[in-house]
mmCIF file of all heavy atoms in Angstrom:
data_model
loop_
_atom_site.group_PDB
_atom_site.id
_atom_site.type_symbol
_atom_site.label_atom_id
_atom_site.label_comp_id
_atom_site.label_asym_id
_atom_site.label_seq_id
_atom_site.Cartn_x
_atom_site.Cartn_y
_atom_site.Cartn_z
ATOM 1 N N ARG N 1 13.850 5.288 31.477
ATOM 2 C CA ARG N 1 12.426 5.211 31.208
ATOM 3 C C ARG N 1 12.158 4.631 29.816
ATOM 4 O O ARG N 1 13.010 4.663 28.928
ATOM 5 C CB ARG N 1 11.781 6.608 31.295
ATOM 6 C CG ARG N 1 11.851 7.230 32.677
ATOM 7 C CD ARG N 1 11.057 6.412 33.697
ATOM 8 N NE ARG N 1 11.034 7.049 34.991
ATOM 9 C CZ ARG N 1 10.088 7.899 35.381
ATOM 10 N NH1 ARG N 1 9.097 8.228 34.558
ATOM 11 N NH2 ARG N 1 10.124 8.431 36.585
ATOM 12 N N CYS N 2 10.942 4.123 29.667
ATOM 13 C CA CYS N 2 10.461 3.647 28.361
ATOM 14 C C CYS N 2 11.437 2.678 27.702
ATOM 15 O O CYS N 2 11.833 2.850 26.545
ATOM 16 C CB CYS N 2 10.191 4.812 27.425
ATOM 17 S SG CYS N 2 9.063 6.049 28.058
ATOM 18 N N VAL N 3 11.841 1.669 28.440
ATOM 19 C CA VAL N 3 12.705 0.643 27.840
ATOM 20 C C VAL N 3 11.960 0.018 26.667
ATOM 21 O O VAL N 3 10.815 -0.424 26.806
ATOM 22 C CB VAL N 3 13.084 -0.423 28.881
ATOM 23 C CG1 VAL N 3 13.916 -1.522 28.229
ATOM 24 C CG2 VAL N 3 13.839 0.213 30.041
ATOM 25 N N PHE N 4 12.590 0.019 25.506
ATOM 26 C CA PHE N 4 11.896 -0.477 24.316
ATOM 27 C C PHE N 4 12.859 -1.240 23.424
ATOM 28 O O PHE N 4 14.077 -1.186 23.599
ATOM 29 C CB PHE N 4 11.239 0.671 23.549
ATOM 30 C CG PHE N 4 12.212 1.583 22.840
ATOM 31 C CD1 PHE N 4 12.349 1.554 21.463
ATOM 32 C CD2 PHE N 4 12.995 2.486 23.561
ATOM 33 C CE1 PHE N 4 13.236 2.397 20.811
ATOM 34 C CE2 PHE N 4 13.889 3.329 22.922
ATOM 35 C CZ PHE N 4 14.007 3.287 21.548
ATOM 36 N N ARG N 5 12.286 -1.918 22.463
ATOM 37 C CA ARG N 5 13.041 -2.802 21.572
ATOM 38 C C ARG N 5 12.848 -2.346 20.134
ATOM 39 O O ARG N 5 11.738 -1.991 19.724
ATOM 40 C CB ARG N 5 12.532 -4.230 21.751
ATOM 41 C CG ARG N 5 13.114 -5.279 20.822
ATOM 42 C CD ARG N 5 12.642 -6.654 21.288
ATOM 43 N NE ARG N 5 13.028 -7.697 20.367
ATOM 44 C CZ ARG N 5 12.190 -8.330 19.560
ATOM 45 N NH1 ARG N 5 10.911 -8.012 19.580
ATOM 46 N NH2 ARG N 5 12.609 -9.286 18.766
ATOM 47 N N VAL N 6 13.923 -2.318 19.380
ATOM 48 C CA VAL N 6 13.856 -2.024 17.951
ATOM 49 C C VAL N 6 14.087 -3.313 17.176
ATOM 50 O O VAL N 6 15.005 -4.074 17.491
ATOM 51 C CB VAL N 6 14.905 -0.972 17.536
ATOM 52 C CG1 VAL N 6 14.907 -0.781 16.023
ATOM 53 C CG2 VAL N 6 14.632 0.355 18.231
ATOM 54 N N VAL N 7 13.252 -3.591 16.209
ATOM 55 C CA VAL N 7 13.426 -4.745 15.333
ATOM 56 C C VAL N 7 13.605 -4.229 13.913
ATOM 57 O O VAL N 7 13.119 -3.159 13.555
ATOM 58 C CB VAL N 7 12.214 -5.711 15.410
ATOM 59 C CG1 VAL N 7 12.103 -6.305 16.799
ATOM 60 C CG2 VAL N 7 10.920 -4.998 15.049
ATOM 61 N N ASP N 8 14.333 -4.988 13.112
ATOM 62 C CA ASP N 8 14.547 -4.584 11.724
ATOM 63 C C ASP N 8 14.604 -5.816 10.838
ATOM 64 O O ASP N 8 14.493 -6.941 11.307
ATOM 65 C CB ASP N 8 15.811 -3.729 11.575
ATOM 66 C CG ASP N 8 17.090 -4.467 11.970
ATOM 67 O OD1 ASP N 8 17.214 -5.650 11.596
ATOM 68 O OD2 ASP N 8 17.947 -3.878 12.627
ATOM 69 N N HIS N 9 14.768 -5.595 9.546
ATOM 70 C CA HIS N 9 14.876 -6.685 8.572
ATOM 71 C C HIS N 9 16.308 -6.798 8.063
ATOM 72 O O HIS N 9 16.547 -7.109 6.909
ATOM 73 C CB HIS N 9 13.907 -6.462 7.411
ATOM 74 C CG HIS N 9 12.466 -6.564 7.802
ATOM 75 N ND1 HIS N 9 11.927 -7.708 8.335
ATOM 76 C CD2 HIS N 9 11.469 -5.654 7.777
ATOM 77 C CE1 HIS N 9 10.639 -7.509 8.590
ATOM 78 N NE2 HIS N 9 10.343 -6.272 8.276
ATOM 79 N N PHE N 10 17.263 -6.515 8.941
ATOM 80 C CA PHE N 10 18.687 -6.600 8.621
ATOM 81 C C PHE N 10 19.026 -5.715 7.422
ATOM 82 O O PHE N 10 19.562 -6.139 6.414
ATOM 83 C CB PHE N 10 19.082 -8.050 8.340
ATOM 84 C CG PHE N 10 20.583 -8.254 8.364
ATOM 85 C CD1 PHE N 10 21.341 -7.698 9.381
ATOM 86 C CD2 PHE N 10 21.216 -8.983 7.385
ATOM 87 C CE1 PHE N 10 22.709 -7.874 9.418
ATOM 88 C CE2 PHE N 10 22.588 -9.166 7.414
ATOM 89 C CZ PHE N 10 23.336 -8.612 8.433
ATOM 90 N N GLN N 11 18.694 -4.414 7.560
ATOM 91 C CA GLN N 11 19.014 -3.451 6.515
ATOM 92 C C GLN N 11 20.460 -2.976 6.630
ATOM 93 O O GLN N 11 21.036 -2.492 5.665
ATOM 94 C CB GLN N 11 18.073 -2.246 6.639
ATOM 95 C CG GLN N 11 16.598 -2.627 6.489
ATOM 96 C CD GLN N 11 15.699 -1.718 7.308
ATOM 97 O OE1 GLN N 11 15.884 -1.562 8.501
ATOM 98 N NE2 GLN N 11 14.718 -1.137 6.655
ATOM 99 N N ALA N 12 21.013 -3.078 7.822
ATOM 100 C CA ALA N 12 22.384 -2.646 8.064
ATOM 101 C C ALA N 12 22.863 -3.342 9.322
ATOM 102 O O ALA N 12 22.136 -4.106 9.944
ATOM 103 C CB ALA N 12 22.440 -1.120 8.201
ATOM 104 N N HIS N 13 24.121 -3.030 9.715
ATOM 105 C CA HIS N 13 24.709 -3.677 10.883
ATOM 106 C C HIS N 13 25.315 -2.600 11.763
ATOM 107 O O HIS N 13 25.946 -1.677 11.274
ATOM 108 C CB HIS N 13 25.785 -4.665 10.432
ATOM 109 C CG HIS N 13 26.212 -5.620 11.498
ATOM 110 N ND1 HIS N 13 25.337 -6.490 12.119
ATOM 111 C CD2 HIS N 13 27.432 -5.849 12.059
ATOM 112 C CE1 HIS N 13 25.998 -7.215 13.003
ATOM 113 N NE2 HIS N 13 27.266 -6.837 12.994
ATOM 114 N N GLY N 14 25.095 -2.688 13.070
ATOM 115 C CA GLY N 14 25.649 -1.708 13.991
ATOM 116 C C GLY N 14 24.576 -1.092 14.864
ATOM 117 O O GLY N 14 23.680 -1.782 15.349
ATOM 118 N N LEU N 15 24.629 0.231 15.043
ATOM 119 C CA LEU N 15 23.667 0.932 15.885
ATOM 120 C C LEU N 15 22.635 1.708 15.086
ATOM 121 O O LEU N 15 21.469 1.778 15.452
ATOM 122 C CB LEU N 15 24.401 1.909 16.814
ATOM 123 C CG LEU N 15 25.000 1.347 18.095
ATOM 124 C CD1 LEU N 15 25.722 2.438 18.855
ATOM 125 C CD2 LEU N 15 23.914 0.740 18.966
ATOM 126 N N VAL N 16 23.066 2.335 13.981
ATOM 127 C CA VAL N 16 22.199 3.251 13.246
ATOM 128 C C VAL N 16 22.214 2.899 11.766
ATOM 129 O O VAL N 16 23.267 2.610 11.197
ATOM 130 C CB VAL N 16 22.663 4.716 13.432
ATOM 131 C CG1 VAL N 16 21.744 5.670 12.697
ATOM 132 C CG2 VAL N 16 22.712 5.074 14.910
ATOM 133 N N ASP N 17 21.020 2.902 11.153
ATOM 134 C CA ASP N 17 20.907 2.699 9.710
ATOM 135 C C ASP N 17 20.977 4.071 9.043
ATOM 136 O O ASP N 17 20.007 4.815 9.017
ATOM 137 C CB ASP N 17 19.582 2.000 9.379
ATOM 138 C CG ASP N 17 19.468 1.671 7.906
ATOM 139 O OD1 ASP N 17 20.496 1.764 7.201
ATOM 140 O OD2 ASP N 17 18.365 1.334 7.452
ATOM 141 N N LEU N 18 22.147 4.416 8.526
ATOM 142 C CA LEU N 18 22.336 5.738 7.946
ATOM 143 C C LEU N 18 21.681 5.835 6.579
ATOM 144 O O LEU N 18 21.871 4.950 5.736
ATOM 145 C CB LEU N 18 23.836 6.037 7.813
ATOM 146 C CG LEU N 18 24.636 6.053 9.118
ATOM 147 C CD1 LEU N 18 26.114 6.249 8.823
ATOM 148 C CD2 LEU N 18 24.127 7.137 10.050
ATOM 149 N N PRO N 19 20.894 6.872 6.309
ATOM 150 C CA PRO N 19 20.357 7.068 4.954
ATOM 151 C C PRO N 19 21.517 7.132 3.965
ATOM 152 O O PRO N 19 22.535 7.781 4.222
ATOM 153 C CB PRO N 19 19.640 8.425 5.070
ATOM 154 C CG PRO N 19 19.336 8.578 6.525
ATOM 155 C CD PRO N 19 20.482 7.929 7.243
ATOM 156 N N ARG N 20 21.377 6.444 2.833
ATOM 157 C CA ARG N 20 22.514 6.343 1.928
ATOM 158 C C ARG N 20 22.063 6.074 0.493
ATOM 159 O O ARG N 20 20.945 5.622 0.253
ATOM 160 C CB ARG N 20 23.449 5.214 2.367
ATOM 161 C CG ARG N 20 22.772 3.856 2.432
ATOM 162 C CD ARG N 20 23.597 2.873 3.245
ATOM 163 N NE ARG N 20 22.943 1.587 3.387
ATOM 164 C CZ ARG N 20 22.051 1.318 4.347
ATOM 165 N NH1 ARG N 20 21.704 2.255 5.217
ATOM 166 N NH2 ARG N 20 21.500 0.118 4.440
ATOM 167 N N GLU N 21 22.953 6.362 -0.424
ATOM 168 C CA GLU N 21 22.819 5.945 -1.808
ATOM 169 C C GLU N 21 24.220 5.750 -2.359
ATOM 170 O O GLU N 21 25.199 6.263 -1.817
ATOM 171 C CB GLU N 21 22.027 6.961 -2.631
ATOM 172 C CG GLU N 21 22.693 8.313 -2.790
ATOM 173 C CD GLU N 21 21.872 9.263 -3.637
ATOM 174 O OE1 GLU N 21 20.647 9.084 -3.695
ATOM 175 O OE2 GLU N 21 22.463 10.181 -4.243
ATOM 176 N N TRP N 22 24.307 4.971 -3.421
ATOM 177 C CA TRP N 22 25.598 4.607 -3.999
ATOM 178 C C TRP N 22 25.663 5.113 -5.440
ATOM 179 O O TRP N 22 24.683 5.004 -6.184
ATOM 180 C CB TRP N 22 25.785 3.092 -4.007
ATOM 181 C CG TRP N 22 25.552 2.407 -2.696
ATOM 182 C CD1 TRP N 22 24.354 2.217 -2.071
ATOM 183 C CD2 TRP N 22 26.531 1.819 -1.847
ATOM 184 N NE1 TRP N 22 24.520 1.542 -0.892
ATOM 185 C CE2 TRP N 22 25.849 1.277 -0.720
ATOM 186 C CE3 TRP N 22 27.913 1.675 -1.920
ATOM 187 C CZ2 TRP N 22 26.509 0.621 0.302
ATOM 188 C CZ3 TRP N 22 28.575 1.018 -0.896
ATOM 189 C CH2 TRP N 22 27.878 0.512 0.198
ATOM 190 N N GLU N 23 26.821 5.604 -5.838
ATOM 191 C CA GLU N 23 27.044 5.943 -7.238
ATOM 192 C C GLU N 23 28.230 5.134 -7.737
ATOM 193 O O GLU N 23 29.347 5.247 -7.217
ATOM 194 C CB GLU N 23 27.318 7.436 -7.420
ATOM 195 C CG GLU N 23 27.502 7.794 -8.894
ATOM 196 C CD GLU N 23 27.663 9.278 -9.116
ATOM 197 O OE1 GLU N 23 27.025 10.063 -8.395
ATOM 198 O OE2 GLU N 23 28.443 9.640 -10.009
ATOM 199 N N ILE N 24 27.965 4.281 -8.725
ATOM 200 C CA ILE N 24 28.984 3.396 -9.272
ATOM 201 C C ILE N 24 28.965 3.531 -10.784
ATOM 202 O O ILE N 24 27.931 3.297 -11.425
ATOM 203 C CB ILE N 24 28.736 1.930 -8.857
ATOM 204 C CG1 ILE N 24 28.690 1.813 -7.328
ATOM 205 C CG2 ILE N 24 29.812 1.014 -9.431
ATOM 206 C CD1 ILE N 24 28.241 0.472 -6.823
ATOM 207 N N ASP N 25 30.101 3.934 -11.355
ATOM 208 C CA ASP N 25 30.218 4.123 -12.808
ATOM 209 C C ASP N 25 29.129 5.034 -13.338
ATOM 210 O O ASP N 25 28.519 4.776 -14.393
ATOM 211 C CB ASP N 25 30.180 2.771 -13.529
ATOM 212 C CG ASP N 25 31.356 1.878 -13.168
ATOM 213 O OD1 ASP N 25 32.417 2.432 -12.839
ATOM 214 O OD2 ASP N 25 31.201 0.648 -13.211
ATOM 215 N N GLY N 26 28.840 6.087 -12.601
ATOM 216 C CA GLY N 26 27.871 7.072 -13.068
ATOM 217 C C GLY N 26 26.426 6.735 -12.813
ATOM 218 O O GLY N 26 25.533 7.522 -13.148
ATOM 219 N N ARG N 27 26.137 5.595 -12.211
ATOM 220 C CA ARG N 27 24.761 5.212 -11.904
ATOM 221 C C ARG N 27 24.530 5.274 -10.404
ATOM 222 O O ARG N 27 25.394 4.892 -9.625
ATOM 223 C CB ARG N 27 24.459 3.807 -12.420
ATOM 224 C CG ARG N 27 24.321 3.735 -13.933
ATOM 225 C CD ARG N 27 23.941 2.343 -14.391
ATOM 226 N NE ARG N 27 23.639 2.301 -15.799
ATOM 227 C CZ ARG N 27 23.312 1.205 -16.464
ATOM 228 N NH1 ARG N 27 23.262 0.045 -15.821
ATOM 229 N NH2 ARG N 27 23.035 1.247 -17.752
ATOM 230 N N THR N 28 23.359 5.746 -10.023
ATOM 231 C CA THR N 28 23.018 5.898 -8.609
ATOM 232 C C THR N 28 22.136 4.743 -8.162
ATOM 233 O O THR N 28 21.186 4.370 -8.859
ATOM 234 C CB THR N 28 22.281 7.223 -8.374
ATOM 235 O OG1 THR N 28 23.123 8.298 -8.817
ATOM 236 C CG2 THR N 28 21.956 7.411 -6.893
ATOM 237 N N TYR N 29 22.466 4.178 -6.999
ATOM 238 C CA TYR N 29 21.730 3.046 -6.440
ATOM 239 C C TYR N 29 21.277 3.392 -5.026
ATOM 240 O O TYR N 29 22.011 4.032 -4.271
ATOM 241 C CB TYR N 29 22.598 1.792 -6.389
ATOM 242 C CG TYR N 29 23.129 1.334 -7.719
ATOM 243 C CD1 TYR N 29 24.289 1.897 -8.247
ATOM 244 C CD2 TYR N 29 22.485 0.341 -8.446
ATOM 245 C CE1 TYR N 29 24.790 1.487 -9.466
ATOM 246 C CE2 TYR N 29 22.974 -0.081 -9.659
ATOM 247 C CZ TYR N 29 24.133 0.489 -10.169
ATOM 248 O OH TYR N 29 24.620 0.072 -11.379
ATOM 249 N N LYS N 30 20.074 2.945 -4.676
ATOM 250 C CA LYS N 30 19.581 3.046 -3.310
ATOM 251 C C LYS N 30 19.342 1.643 -2.765
ATOM 252 O O LYS N 30 19.075 0.728 -3.541
ATOM 253 C CB LYS N 30 18.295 3.869 -3.244
ATOM 254 C CG LYS N 30 18.517 5.344 -3.570
ATOM 255 C CD LYS N 30 17.250 6.170 -3.384
ATOM 256 C CE LYS N 30 17.517 7.632 -3.676
ATOM 257 N NZ LYS N 30 16.291 8.454 -3.502
ATOM 258 N N PRO N 31 19.416 1.444 -1.446
ATOM 259 C CA PRO N 31 19.233 0.098 -0.886
ATOM 260 C C PRO N 31 17.885 -0.486 -1.250
ATOM 261 O O PRO N 31 16.879 0.227 -1.301
ATOM 262 C CB PRO N 31 19.339 0.323 0.625
ATOM 263 C CG PRO N 31 20.106 1.594 0.761
ATOM 264 C CD PRO N 31 19.714 2.431 -0.417
ATOM 265 N N GLY N 32 17.852 -1.798 -1.498
ATOM 266 C CA GLY N 32 16.584 -2.455 -1.796
ATOM 267 C C GLY N 32 16.780 -3.716 -2.579
ATOM 268 O O GLY N 32 17.812 -4.365 -2.527
ATOM 269 N N GLY N 33 15.754 -4.059 -3.396
ATOM 270 C CA GLY N 33 15.764 -5.316 -4.129
ATOM 271 C C GLY N 33 15.968 -5.108 -5.608
ATOM 272 O O GLY N 33 16.992 -4.635 -6.069
ATOM 273 N N GLU N 34 14.924 -5.422 -6.413
ATOM 274 C CA GLU N 34 15.031 -5.338 -7.862
ATOM 275 C C GLU N 34 15.253 -3.894 -8.297
ATOM 276 O O GLU N 34 14.698 -2.957 -7.736
ATOM 277 C CB GLU N 34 13.755 -5.889 -8.522
ATOM 278 C CG GLU N 34 13.530 -7.370 -8.261
ATOM 279 C CD GLU N 34 14.618 -8.222 -8.874
ATOM 280 O OE1 GLU N 34 15.132 -7.838 -9.939
ATOM 281 O OE2 GLU N 34 14.958 -9.263 -8.288
ATOM 282 N N GLY N 35 16.070 -3.701 -9.336
ATOM 283 C CA GLY N 35 16.360 -2.357 -9.818
ATOM 284 C C GLY N 35 15.267 -1.843 -10.735
ATOM 285 O O GLY N 35 14.536 -2.591 -11.379
ATOM 286 N N ARG N 36 15.127 -0.529 -10.818
ATOM 287 C CA ARG N 36 14.197 0.096 -11.751
ATOM 288 C C ARG N 36 14.816 1.413 -12.201
ATOM 289 O O ARG N 36 15.631 2.004 -11.497
ATOM 290 C CB ARG N 36 12.829 0.333 -11.116
ATOM 291 C CG ARG N 36 12.863 1.195 -9.879
ATOM 292 C CD ARG N 36 11.477 1.287 -9.232
ATOM 293 N NE ARG N 36 11.521 2.019 -7.987
ATOM 294 C CZ ARG N 36 11.390 3.331 -7.890
ATOM 295 N NH1 ARG N 36 11.196 4.047 -8.976
ATOM 296 N NH2 ARG N 36 11.446 3.939 -6.722
ATOM 297 N N ARG N 37 14.399 1.879 -13.351
ATOM 298 C CA ARG N 37 14.964 3.123 -13.871
ATOM 299 C C ARG N 37 13.986 4.274 -13.617
ATOM 300 O O ARG N 37 12.803 4.152 -13.861
ATOM 301 C CB ARG N 37 15.240 3.017 -15.371
ATOM 302 C CG ARG N 37 16.418 2.116 -15.663
ATOM 303 C CD ARG N 37 16.850 2.220 -17.112
ATOM 304 N NE ARG N 37 18.048 1.435 -17.332
ATOM 305 C CZ ARG N 37 19.269 1.886 -17.134
ATOM 306 N NH1 ARG N 37 19.447 3.117 -16.688
ATOM 307 N NH2 ARG N 37 20.316 1.122 -17.359
ATOM 308 N N VAL N 38 14.525 5.367 -13.102
ATOM 309 C CA VAL N 38 13.736 6.575 -12.897
ATOM 310 C C VAL N 38 14.496 7.729 -13.527
ATOM 311 O O VAL N 38 15.609 8.056 -13.103
ATOM 312 C CB VAL N 38 13.511 6.847 -11.392
ATOM 313 C CG1 VAL N 38 12.734 8.134 -11.211
ATOM 314 C CG2 VAL N 38 12.778 5.691 -10.760
ATOM 315 N N ALA N 39 13.907 8.345 -14.562
ATOM 316 C CA ALA N 39 14.533 9.485 -15.250
ATOM 317 C C ALA N 39 15.963 9.154 -15.680
ATOM 318 O O ALA N 39 16.887 9.943 -15.508
ATOM 319 C CB ALA N 39 14.512 10.720 -14.360
ATOM 320 N N GLY N 40 16.132 7.955 -16.220
ATOM 321 C CA GLY N 40 17.426 7.569 -16.736
ATOM 322 C C GLY N 40 18.413 7.079 -15.710
ATOM 323 O O GLY N 40 19.525 6.726 -16.035
#
């Protein structure tokens, strides 16, 4: 039932876009474009 289509902007590859964040050299990154600083 309810055959439907999911479209995306190529945020990930596969079946599911898992919520995520990255920590590299002590800095935390979230997926997106230009970086900004929040509380250091």
Side-chain angles (χ1 to χ4, degrees):
R1 296 296 184 91
C2 305
V3 177
F4 71 107
R5 175 172 173 253
V6 175
V7 296
D8 62 42
H9 293 300
F10 195 45
Q11 300 149 306
H13 194 59
L15 277 178
V16 181
D17 184 13
L18 299 175
R20 58 197 177 274
E21 65 179 25
W22 308 71
E23 182 175 325
I24 303 171
D25 296 332
R27 287 183 173 178
T28 302
Y29 301 84
K30 292 185 178 180
E34 296 296 327
R36 58 185 175 88
R37 288 191 175 273
V38 178

